[in-house]
């Protein structure tokens, strides 16, 4: 599939999600390339007057920068009682709408925001759909820097192959917005995500991991049909 086709899929699915936001909403703004199209379209709707009085809660520095660029007013979790709707991408989605997230190293904040939303909409292109979680994408685990070695050993004991995520165009490891490090752990498959999420988070030094269980309400999937991008709901 061409880069243009993938971009068209992401754009259509981002727009479809942004269309579901109503005036007066508090909106969780996710991280990543597909969600970026949703943030852009929310800005367009505000500019045209089609949408009024929304406030965004960003899940990352990237989401915050994009929201400011497109004129979406921002608030923090301290300022709101609840979040009406959150829009976010995913790296893998299984048939039960369980997700692996964290390719952008923002999953800890994303999980907080997405879990508080009345409706959490996941936006993906069709390449992100899998039968079994962990089959195409490693599971990101956010770790306190002081605990990288013991957590690595604990993850290996659980059958994982952890690798410290390294920066691109930067020497050294990726540092999250919270100042921590990411271990990308290959498990091959994760048959019981709900139990596994708890097991991983009980390892001392682990802040959170990229398994999102029971959080996704709606999954919008961008596909190419007969050369045209379409969006379907999972």
């Amino acid at each position: 599939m061409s880069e243009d086709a993938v971009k068209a899929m992401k754009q259509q699915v981002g727009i479809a999600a942004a269309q579901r936001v109503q005036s007066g909403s508090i909106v969780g703004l996710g991280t990543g390339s597909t969600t970026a199209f949703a943030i852009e379209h929310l800005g367009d709707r505000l500019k045209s007057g089609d949408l009024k009085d929304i406030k965004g809660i960003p899940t990352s520095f990237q989401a915050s920068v994009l929201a400011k660029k497109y004129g979406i007013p921002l608030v923090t979790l301290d300022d709101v009682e609840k979040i009406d709707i959150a829009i976010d991408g995913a790296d893998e989605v299984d048939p039960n709408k369980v997700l692996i997230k964290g390719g952008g190293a923002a999953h800890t904040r994303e999980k907080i925001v997405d879990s508080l939303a009345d409706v959490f909409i996941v936006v993906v292109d069709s390449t992100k759909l899998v039968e079994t979680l962990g089959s195409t994408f490693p599971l990101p685990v956010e770790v306190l820097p002081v605990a990288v070695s013991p957590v690595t050993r604990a993850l290996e004991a659980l059958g994982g192959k952890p690798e410290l995520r390294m920066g691109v165009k930067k020497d050294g490891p990726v540092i999250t917005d919270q100042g921590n490090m990411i271990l990308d752990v290959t498990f091959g498959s994760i048959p019981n995500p709900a139990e596994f999420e708890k097991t991983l988070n009980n390892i001392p030094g682990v802040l959170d991991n990229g398994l999102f269980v029971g959080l996704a309400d709606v999954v919008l999937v961008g596909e190419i049909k007969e050369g045209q991008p379409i969006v379907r709901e999972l």
Side-chain angles (χ1 to χ4, degrees):
M1 198 180 298
S2 72
E3 271 182 40
D4 286 349
V6 172
K7 185 179 172 185
M9 281 195 299
K10 290 180 173 186
Q11 191 164 19
Q12 288 306 315
V13 79
I15 288 170
Q19 287 289 50
R20 295 190 179 212
V21 175
Q22 296 173 343
S23 293
S25 297
I26 306 290
V27 188
L29 303 173
T31 305
S33 54
T34 309
T35 317
F37 286 117
I39 294 173
E40 182 177 0
H41 190 63
L42 286 173
D44 291 344
R45 287 186 65 198
L46 280 172
K47 254 197 223 88
S48 70
D50 175 40
L51 193 60
K52 292 182 173 67
D53 189 34
I54 68 163
K55 293 187 172 71
I57 294 195
T59 56
S60 63
F61 187 62
Q62 182 219 22
S64 171
V65 168
L66 283 172
K68 287 171 186 164
K69 178 178 174 182
Y70 295 117
I72 300 168
L74 294 179
V75 291
T76 69
L77 290 171
D78 294 332
D79 305 321
V80 300
E81 295 288 313
K82 70 183 184 88
I83 297 170
D84 298 295
I85 186 167
I87 301 170
D88 212 341
D91 300 303
E92 283 189 347
V93 183
D94 82 358
N96 300 316
K97 297 185 188 169
V98 180
L99 319 174
I100 283 183
K101 288 176 54 48
H107 57 277
T108 300
R109 274 170 71 177
E110 288 169 342
K111 198 180 281 190
I112 294 165
V113 169
D114 298 342
S115 68
L116 292 170
D118 288 347
V119 178
F120 170 29
I121 299 179
V122 180
V123 289
V124 290
D125 62 76
S126 55
T127 63
K128 306 295 172 65
L129 303 179
V130 296
E131 281 304 310
T132 310
L133 285 181
S135 48
T136 64
F137 204 85
L139 179 64
V141 178
E142 183 162 349
V143 184
L144 296 171
V146 67
V148 168
S149 293
V151 170
T152 296
R153 289 193 292 273
L155 292 167
E156 286 169 345
L158 290 169
K161 292 184 186 143
E163 275 189 32
L164 186 62
R165 188 181 300 179
M166 303 307 282
V168 178
K169 297 188 178 174
K170 166 194 177 294
D171 293 335
V174 168
I175 304 297
T176 69
D177 289 357
Q178 292 74 244
N180 299 311
M181 294 179 184
I182 299 278
L183 288 168
D184 287 314
V185 195
T186 304
F187 286 104
S189 73
I190 300 167
N192 189 340
E195 281 305 306
F196 205 55
E197 180 184 21
K198 292 177 192 150
T199 301
L200 293 174
N201 284 350
N202 278 335
I203 299 171
V206 170
L207 195 61
D208 211 332
N209 68 80
L211 284 169
F212 282 49
V213 183
L215 292 182
D217 297 301
V218 176
V219 178
L220 297 179
V221 184
E223 296 183 320
I224 299 291
K225 278 268 165 78
E226 293 166 5
Q228 294 302 312
I230 62 154
V231 177
R232 70 176 171 95
E233 192 170 324
L234 197 61

